[in-house]
Amino acid sequence: MGSRMDHLNGTAQALEMDSGEKRLNELGYKQELRREMTLFKTLAITFSSMAVFTGTPLYGPSLIYAGPASLIWGWVVVSFFTWFVGIAMAEICSSFPTTGSLYFWAAHLAGPRWGPFASWCCAWLETIGLISGIGAQAYSGSQTLQIIILLGTGTNKGGGYFASRGVFLCMYIGLTIIWAVLNTFALQVIAFLDIISIWWQVIGGLVVIIMLPLVAQPTQSASYVFTHFETSPESTGIQSKPYAVILSVILSQYCLYGYDTAAHLTEETKGADRTGPIAILSSIGIISLFGWAYNLALTFSIRDPNYLYDVTNETAGALVPAQIIYDAFHGRFHNSTGAIIFLIIIWGSFFFCGLSVTTSAARVVYALSRDEGIPFSSIWRRLHPKYKVPANAVWLCAAICIVLGLPILKLNVVFTAILSISTIGWVGGYAIPIFARLVMAEKDFKPGPFYLGRARRPICLVAFLWICYTCSAFLLPTLYPLKWDTFNYAPIALTVALSLIMLWWVLDARKWFKGPVRNFDKQNGEF
């Protein structure tokens, strides 16, 4: 009688078990993190990781390389190919709803022979990309704050205060620490802030997109925005038109990734095998639309393209979109108040984005530590006793991010390097599980609710080739002639980092790293 009751109780528990948790158990993991996130909260955090205004610092360089037509239509092209990557990842996420996400996917999809190596490469690419991604947002937020202070104290022409390198670095460090502190609390705090974020970005984005061209009357013509193509070899040193176009599209490639954040939160999300794919694809759709509209609003509102880059202009030539916004408001109302408000909206986008990227980075470090893939893993996988969040992993990510920002004191190309490392690492991490899914036998794949069927091979092939192109583009020099203060240091930094990681694998890690480590015996249900 007792055994029958136990069986009935077990059946009832199985029926009540969340579908994502059930799949997690099947994959060999017990539920440790709190599974209390809804689809909307997951979408809010994922959306925040991408951010409507995230490409603001790159708008100026992208515009000067090949003019507005290349920038505007480049966004459409990048959006098109991004859908292939997102759809491929959504299918995998539906089958493997785990916090380890990309590197967990790589391990299982690559099979027992190549799984550990694929998992190792993917995990470290993802870790490098996410941690440097925090730095990219901290830099963008600091740069926007620098301009807000400049305009608020009188503009560059009116004796306003333009923060020095040392002050700029303090801003960078301050933002990183604030994000780490907030991520030390329960995930519900982050989820609440990211719900504010999604409304901030949607409402703020609509305000900027709609109001800026209205304030900037008269605006540029449609022919200028959609058809004007012009390279600037005297400014960039780039004579080749195809090369200039490739660099002008980097803005779009930088903005349209980060949707894997939904996958990092799947162990904390209800029904993650369904909500994860929905959050991934919804975020791509929203950002594709809003980002393009934002670029259109900026481009239509340009008054004098050449004046935007003048170091003696009101924003010191430091942030082109800020000058466009300033020209619009000062030209209409003869003050900078409206421009400051718009820049605060944009700064808020960077703040929320950095907060979400910190959340993602900590989850990846936690998952890799859980599988003993990081030195001193026992420290980084510890959860906060009260809030059940990977607090130690959060602070490790923050510390590394701060170290990455220290060259700000001496070099002008820090942002280019951090941004390139972030994109190559983050997007490069997508390539490994997608390639594994492309070449694996279909009989070895257990599909989730979101399944591509026969369409998976062409979709995965296009996605993989696009990722390879994107990573290659961010390795290119962005200014000529090559000098110490114009050189793109990303290839060197990545070569050194990846060489050390591969050397570690060959000499030691391959002997003990076997990929994701089960902490749950699905045969008898024991931990």
Side-chain angles (χ1 to χ4, degrees):
M1 183 68 179
S3 60
R4 185 179 179 185
M5 289 298 296
D6 291 341
H7 174 73
L8 291 173
N9 288 336
T11 303
Q13 289 175 357
L15 291 173
E16 294 174 3
M17 181 179 290
D18 179 271
S19 60
E21 182 177 347
K22 182 180 179 182
R23 179 59 178 148
L24 187 68
N25 291 167
E26 290 174 357
L27 293 168
Y29 281 84
K30 66 180 179 179
Q31 183 71 45
E32 293 183 307
L33 301 171
R34 289 179 177 172
R35 191 178 290 274
E36 54 190 10
M37 300 282 287
T38 62
L39 169 60
F40 185 72
K41 291 177 180 177
T42 301
L43 175 60
I45 295 178
T46 307
F47 180 77
S48 296
S49 292
M50 299 182 74
V52 172
F53 303 110
T54 191
T56 300
L58 280 180
Y59 178 88
S62 295
L63 181 66
I64 202 172
Y65 283 127
S70 180
L71 186 156
I72 295 301
W73 293 115
W75 184 279
V76 176
V77 172
V78 173
S79 297
F80 174 76
F81 286 106
T82 298
W83 276 105
F84 285 88
V85 182
I87 291 169
M89 290 180 62
E91 184 200 39
I92 302 171
C93 179
S94 184
S95 179
F96 300 104
T98 67
T99 288
S101 59
L102 301 182
Y103 90 93
F104 185 98
W105 302 347
H108 283 261
L109 295 171
R113 181 180 179 185
W114 292 102
F117 180 66
S119 180
W120 178 263
C121 294
C122 188
W124 279 104
L125 277 172
E126 192 176 11
T127 302
I128 290 170
L130 280 163
I131 293 177
S132 53
I134 302 171
Q137 296 307 312
Y139 191 102
S140 299
S142 300
Q143 187 177 45
T144 307
L145 185 58
Q146 183 184 44
I147 302 301
I148 291 171
I149 295 171
L150 176 62
L151 295 182
T153 54
T155 78
N156 185 48
K157 286 187 171 181
Y161 175 72
F162 189 74
S164 64
R165 289 178 183 268
V167 174
F168 190 100
L169 179 61
C170 289
M171 295 177 184
Y172 176 98
I173 293 172
L175 281 172
T176 305
I177 291 174
I178 290 170
W179 293 332
V181 170
L182 290 172
N183 269 281
T184 304
F185 295 106
L187 188 63
Q188 286 298 303
V189 174
I190 303 301
F192 174 75
L193 290 173
D194 281 316
I195 288 173
I196 296 174
S197 167
I198 196 169
W199 292 115
W200 178 283
Q201 297 197 67
V202 169
I203 296 173
L206 286 172
V207 168
V208 173
I209 291 165
I210 295 170
M211 292 297 298
L212 182 58
L214 293 176
V215 172
Q217 295 293 336
T219 59
Q220 292 288 342
S221 66
S223 62
Y224 172 79
V225 174
F226 293 108
T227 65
H228 185 70
F229 178 87
E230 179 185 6
T231 58
S232 302
E234 68 286 351
S235 300
T236 63
I238 296 171
Q239 304 292 334
S240 168
K241 291 183 178 179
Y243 193 174
V245 170
I246 289 172
L247 292 181
S248 73
V249 177
I250 279 180
L251 161 69
S252 308
Q253 291 168 303
Y254 170 62
C255 295
L256 290 168
Y257 70 91
Y259 36 87
D260 58 304
T261 298
H264 303 314
L265 298 170
T266 48
E267 287 186 36
E268 300 162 88
T269 304
K270 298 173 184 176
D273 51 346
R274 289 179 173 82
T275 56
I278 293 172
I280 288 172
L281 298 178
S282 298
S283 296
I284 293 173
I286 295 169
I287 293 296
S288 296
L289 180 61
F290 270 79
W292 196 56
Y294 175 53
N295 288 335
L296 285 173
L298 285 173
T299 310
F300 270 110
S301 302
I302 293 173
R303 291 210 164 190
D304 181 357
N306 295 322
Y307 185 63
L308 298 176
Y309 302 91
D310 189 340
V311 294
T312 64
N313 68 20
E314 287 79 4
T315 57
L319 189 63
V320 166
Q323 187 63 41
I324 294 173
I325 295 169
Y326 174 85
D327 286 342
F329 278 95
H330 191 268
R332 175 64 71 88
F333 303 110
H334 307 292
N335 63 63
S336 57
T337 303
I340 292 172
I341 293 172
F342 272 33
L343 288 172
I344 289 173
I345 293 173
I346 294 170
W347 179 86
S349 177
F350 292 129
F351 179 86
F352 288 122
C353 183
L355 184 66
S356 294
V357 174
T358 304
T359 304
S360 290
R363 267 63 187 171
V364 172
V365 170
Y366 161 76
L368 186 56
S369 300
R370 184 173 61 181
D371 296 329
E372 301 179 357
I374 292 180
F376 308 107
S377 291
S378 60
I379 297 174
W380 315 125
R381 67 169 174 253
R382 289 178 192 164
L383 297 177
H384 192 286
K386 180 179 178 181
Y387 300 119
K388 299 299 180 183
V389 295
N392 289 359
V394 168
W395 285 101
L396 175 63
C397 294
I400 297 173
C401 176
I402 290 170
V403 171
L404 284 175
L406 294 179
I408 288 171
L409 290 172
K410 294 293 183 182
L411 300 175
N412 295 321
V413 292
V414 174
F415 181 66
T416 301
I418 292 177
L419 179 146
S420 298
I421 293 168
S422 171
T423 306
I424 294 167
W426 203 334
V427 179
Y430 297 176
I432 298 172
I434 289 176
F435 180 77
R437 176 74 181 109
L438 172 67
V439 301
M440 75 180 297
E442 191 64 17
K443 62 181 177 63
D444 297 329
F445 183 74
K446 181 179 179 180
F450 184 88
Y451 179 52
L452 296 176
R454 293 182 179 180
R456 61 102 176 181
R457 283 195 185 278
I459 288 174
C460 288
L461 178 60
V462 172
F464 177 74
L465 293 176
W466 177 251
I467 291 169
C468 291
Y469 165 73
T470 297
C471 292
S472 300
F474 278 89
L475 290 172
L476 297 172
T478 56
L479 291 171
Y480 286 88
L482 297 179
K483 300 178 182 178
W484 286 112
D485 59 346
T486 61
F487 184 68
N488 182 3
Y489 291 91
I492 296 176
L494 281 167
T495 299
V496 172
L498 295 178
S499 295
L500 291 173
I501 290 166
M502 290 300 102
L503 187 63
W504 184 12
W505 171 262
V506 171
L507 298 179
D508 182 46
R510 64 185 176 88
K511 301 173 186 176
W512 50 264
F513 184 79
K514 304 303 179 186
V517 178
R518 297 177 184 271
N519 60 10
F520 181 77
D521 185 347
K522 65 179 180 181
Q523 298 297 325
N524 55 28
E526 293 179 355
F527 294 158

